[in-house]
Amino acid sequence: MKSTHPIKTTAAALALLAAATAAHAAPTITRLTPPSALFTFGDPSGPYVARFLPDQRFDLQCTAVPDSGATISEVRFEIDGVLVPGTAALTPATVSGMPAGTTVGTIRAARVTKPGVHTFQVIATQSNGQHTTKGGNFEIVAIKKGGPKVKNVIVFIGDGMGASHRTAARIMSRGIEQGKVLAPLAMDTFPFTGLVMTASLNSIITDSAPGAACYSSGNKCNNNQEGVFPDDTVDKFDNPRVELIGEYLARTQGKALGIVTTADVFDATPAAFGIHTQDRGAGTGICDQYLDEAARTANLTVLLGGGRKWFLPTGTLGSTRSASSDYTLPAELATAWGVNAGTIDPARDLLADFQASGFSYAPDRTSLNTAADSATKLLGLFAFSNMNVAKDKIDGRRGASTVVNDYGFPDQPLLDEMTDRALKVLSKNANGFILMVEGASIDKQAHNMDTERWILDTIEMDNAIARAKAFAGKRNDTLIIVTADHECAGVAIIGASTVTDAALATAAAGGGGAATLRDPIVGTYDLASFPEYTNAPDGYPVTTDVNFRMLIGYAANADRFEDWRTNPLPLRDGQQPLNNVAPLNTYPSGPLNRDTAGNYMITGQVGGSSAVHSGGDIPVSAFGRGSSLFTGVMDNTDVFFKVMQATVGGAR
């Protein structure tokens, strides 16, 4: 009879072996930074997710999960098989849901000079000696010798500005007859134009933070993050960093950095050029870092926009400084990047600190006009939060509206005026400069589906572009690019009104809904004639309520009432610290709280009360030295490397 004993012994041995293996399992690597398809998908080929300039600094990081009962004792990184010097900092992962003992290991401010694709790997060891190795890759983009180097770079970002935003501004500002535009926009005169793809690291629809950070760092970020890669901690300011364009050019060429915006200066696009954070909303820390870091590491010389609320000590009228949005940095990060570790100090008088460090301060347009003459560093804060839009500033100057008075800041500059003064100050740096100018409320008013306000903000930005073109046209060392971070609201020019403005006003007051405000009003195809807008001496339309007016539709819209006429008041701005105080609390709170008399409600494709960003490509136009690089269809990160080719390697 055949014995079954050997079978029992084998089963027992296998059970013991399995138990022994389980007791000494290796740790698991769940995240490896810089991100790569090699780590995520096992794909070593391009396109490469992370790309850097030669000598551009970046952090290496991994998230390691130890075997049960063990801890992570050491993390080492190698690039191309060579150990990266330094001891990796080990910190607990704090994102909710991570297994016990999960550890983040980081080496800061690595740099590689040799162009080409490089592999890197992490070796994570746990307390029982077991270890795991995982690898990724990145590319160092070659900079070629291409002729004289660009000295000055001016980047215009029309936040949310797609092709139709530009077209609508052209029709309203320049006019059109018999199918011919009467004159081009300033941005239309740029000799080279391409298309930019806009996806972020984690979505086909970017928000403004990674949408701008791709231009400042050459790398993708997750939505709501800027100047960093994602990590597994909840700290707003400890993420793995990428050196920004201003930091790199200040370190290697001594250039100055200027940031100009019509938004609050803490907002996503301006902050993407000076700050590293995973939370674009951390306003106290962001604005502190402009002085504590960017003024030193990026030679931040000009900062103009709204956002005074972050610079005033807690308890001061309008201040919104708070400990919850402030920052401190891990010691290893501060040491490696050579920056201030920060302090939680909501009572800080940041405005006074800027002035003590040599910044001339302009609180309004009048002081801005004089401060730029003598200033070597310039700070201008013209509103508590976002500045008023071009329409309301222009109407205030014409005495036709009290909106700017209601906000408490009647003497705000226009974007072209800010651009002029920024160029005057930045030009004092003999080594040149990088200037980012943002037309911020093209996006904000497109979110609000407030057609005339975003069109006039696009015109305002084009006026600033004209000033910059005049500056660059007098020299042969300046590159200007005009682009956007994404498109907002799915804007489309759908036609023109078939009636006079007086008839439209009657229909808008009649409560007839679609029967009176859509079917007999919206002229499409040959029923859409050419609207006749007339400019005043200040360069803006005398009125936007004209006969047979241009009509705009939205493909990424929320529910809204529509009467096709200009809204006398903007929607309430929740970022304003006095938003709940009269008279601002009497402004319409959303798109269902205005234009209601006509009873024409348009159902949106998205929920909520705001139109959303879309994923379409956006234009980029270029002027000056190196402008010929900006043609064809390109990734948003390509824009950074084209700018740096012209600045570091030179261009014809």
Side-chain angles (χ1 to χ4, degrees):
M1 182 177 178
K2 188 175 181 179
S3 171
T4 59
H5 183 69
I7 298 175
K8 292 180 179 179
T9 302
T10 301
L14 289 173
L16 288 171
L17 179 60
T21 301
H24 298 284
T28 302
I29 306 298
T30 59
R31 187 192 296 274
L32 185 60
T33 299
S36 68
L38 178 58
F39 172 74
T40 306
F41 303 111
D43 181 3
S45 61
Y48 301 102
V49 180
R51 297 184 297 163
F52 308 101
L53 294 168
D55 199 43
Q56 184 181 6
R57 297 182 295 173
F58 60 93
D59 290 342
L60 296 160
Q61 189 177 87
C62 77
T63 300
V65 181
D67 183 29
S68 179
T71 58
I72 300 298
S73 58
E74 183 185 51
V75 168
R76 292 175 291 142
F77 289 95
E78 296 177 348
I79 296 178
D80 297 330
V82 178
L83 184 67
V84 178
T87 301
L90 303 181
T91 59
T94 52
V95 172
S96 177
M98 301 295 291
T102 301
T103 298
V104 175
T106 311
I107 288 282
R108 303 284 184 179
R111 62 181 81 179
V112 177
T113 58
K114 182 180 179 181
V117 178
H118 298 265
T119 58
F120 72 105
Q121 65 178 3
V122 61
I123 305 98
T125 304
Q126 64 187 22
S127 51
N128 60 15
Q130 294 290 313
H131 68 273
T132 293
T133 300
K134 291 289 183 181
N137 57 13
F138 58 84
E139 183 181 9
I140 300 297
V141 176
I143 298 295
K144 303 174 183 178
K145 292 183 178 180
K149 295 179 182 179
V150 166
K151 180 179 180 180
N152 309 309
V153 179
I154 307 171
V155 180
F156 282 93
I157 297 180
D159 201 312
M161 185 181 70
S164 290
H165 296 77
R166 290 174 60 154
T167 305
R170 183 187 308 120
I171 290 171
M172 183 179 288
S173 177
R174 300 297 194 260
I176 182 170
E177 294 176 359
Q178 294 184 290
K180 290 285 189 176
V181 175
L182 302 183
L185 294 172
M187 67 181 93
D188 295 336
T189 66
F190 284 21
F192 297 97
T193 294
L195 287 175
V196 175
M197 300 175 283
T198 62
S200 69
L201 183 61
N202 67 332
S203 175
I204 60 172
I205 308 296
T206 189
D207 84 278
S208 294
C214 62
Y215 302 139
S216 68
S217 74
N219 280 272
K220 305 277 188 177
C221 300
N222 274 8
N223 283 350
N224 298 309
Q225 302 184 0
E226 48 208 10
V228 297
F229 291 121
D231 73 355
D232 290 305
T233 73
V234 297
D235 190 295
K236 294 176 172 59
F237 290 94
D238 73 342
N239 286 53
R241 293 184 169 199
V242 183
E243 190 170 33
L244 304 179
I245 187 170
E247 295 168 331
Y248 184 92
L249 291 176
R251 177 171 64 86
T252 61
Q253 296 186 5
K255 294 193 188 301
L257 172 65
I259 296 173
V260 175
T261 179
T262 53
D264 187 318
V265 294
F266 98 101
D267 209 19
T269 299
F273 279 77
I275 305 301
H276 304 265
T277 181
Q278 71 166 2
D279 181 5
R280 57 172 285 184
T284 306
I286 287 170
C287 290
D288 282 2
Q289 283 199 349
Y290 279 132
L291 181 61
D292 298 343
E293 288 198 25
R296 291 174 48 223
T297 62
N299 196 15
L300 177 66
T301 302
V302 173
L303 181 62
L304 303 178
R308 197 181 302 176
K309 65 183 185 180
W310 306 109
F311 291 72
L312 303 174
T314 302
T316 305
L317 177 67
S319 174
T320 55
R321 288 184 63 87
S322 70
S324 63
S325 65
D326 210 344
Y327 85 106
T328 58
L329 300 177
E332 43 85 18
L333 188 161
T335 299
W337 284 89
V339 296
N340 192 313
T343 305
I344 305 296
D345 51 359
R348 180 181 188 179
D349 188 339
L350 184 60
L351 181 54
D353 287 351
F354 261 87
Q355 292 173 290
S357 68
F359 279 80
S360 298
Y361 174 56
D364 52 33
R365 176 177 60 136
T366 301
S367 58
L368 176 66
N369 289 339
T370 57
D373 292 336
S374 59
T376 55
K377 294 190 286 186
L378 180 61
L379 172 69
L381 301 170
F382 309 110
F384 280 136
S385 185
N386 301 311
M387 295 174 64
N388 287 114
V389 299
K391 172 181 166 38
D392 297 322
K393 288 185 288 190
I394 289 294
D395 284 349
R397 294 186 185 189
R398 293 174 178 174
S401 169
T402 63
V403 169
V404 291
N405 295 343
D406 290 349
Y407 276 77
F409 296 92
D411 189 26
Q412 297 174 57
L414 291 161
L415 189 59
D416 57 329
E417 296 164 343
M418 291 193 284
T419 301
D420 258 348
R421 303 310 181 270
L423 290 171
K424 180 174 288 189
V425 175
L426 291 166
S427 296
K428 297 172 184 177
N429 183 10
N431 297 316
F433 60 83
I434 169 99
L435 170 63
M436 191 288 297
V437 181
E438 182 198 20
S441 285
I442 302 170
D443 174 77
K444 296 181 190 304
Q445 297 306 314
H447 276 298
N448 290 343
M449 298 163 286
D450 194 328
T451 297
E452 285 70 31
R453 281 184 170 80
W454 65 251
I455 294 178
L456 264 68
D457 264 54
T458 309
I459 295 170
E460 180 189 32
M461 193 182 83
D462 194 64
N463 290 341
I465 292 167
R467 299 289 184 95
K469 183 183 177 185
F471 170 88
K474 297 175 182 177
R475 46 204 304 149
N476 194 32
D477 60 0
T478 299
L479 168 65
I480 307 174
I481 62 170
V482 177
T483 188
D485 42 6
H486 52 75
E487 196 277 343
C488 184
V491 165
I493 301 169
I494 60 175
S497 167
T498 61
V499 301
T500 65
D501 185 61
L504 182 58
T506 299
T516 57
L517 276 169
R518 185 189 66 190
D519 301 342
I521 298 294
V522 180
T524 60
Y525 299 106
D526 56 336
L527 295 179
S529 60
F530 301 114
E532 297 183 2
Y533 297 93
T534 302
N535 282 343
D538 58 24
Y540 290 85
V542 172
T543 178
T544 52
D545 286 327
V546 299
N547 298 333
F548 315 111
R549 66 190 301 139
M550 174 172 51
L551 300 182
I552 302 295
Y554 299 91
N557 61 311
D559 295 348
R560 79 182 193 277
F561 281 104
E562 182 61 84
D563 66 5
W564 307 117
R565 303 193 75 243
T566 303
N567 297 306
L569 297 175
L571 294 183
R572 292 178 63 183
D573 179 359
Q575 293 188 33
Q576 300 293 337
L578 303 181
N579 184 49
N580 295 319
V581 178
L584 298 185
N585 63 357
T586 65
Y587 281 38
S589 59
L592 293 177
N593 303 107
R594 69 179 181 209
D595 305 333
T596 56
N599 197 34
Y600 175 34
M601 203 272 278
I602 299 177
T603 302
Q605 281 89 344
V606 300
S609 60
S610 173
V612 298
H613 299 171
S614 68
D617 296 350
I618 48 94
V620 57
S621 298
F623 175 87
R625 180 169 296 282
S627 57
S628 62
L629 298 172
F630 295 88
T631 60
V633 180
M634 66 197 79
D635 187 67
N636 49 14
T637 59
D638 291 335
V639 174
F640 169 87
F641 291 101
K642 291 176 184 292
V643 168
M644 298 308 280
Q645 168 60 47
T647 309
V648 178
R652 297 294 179 185

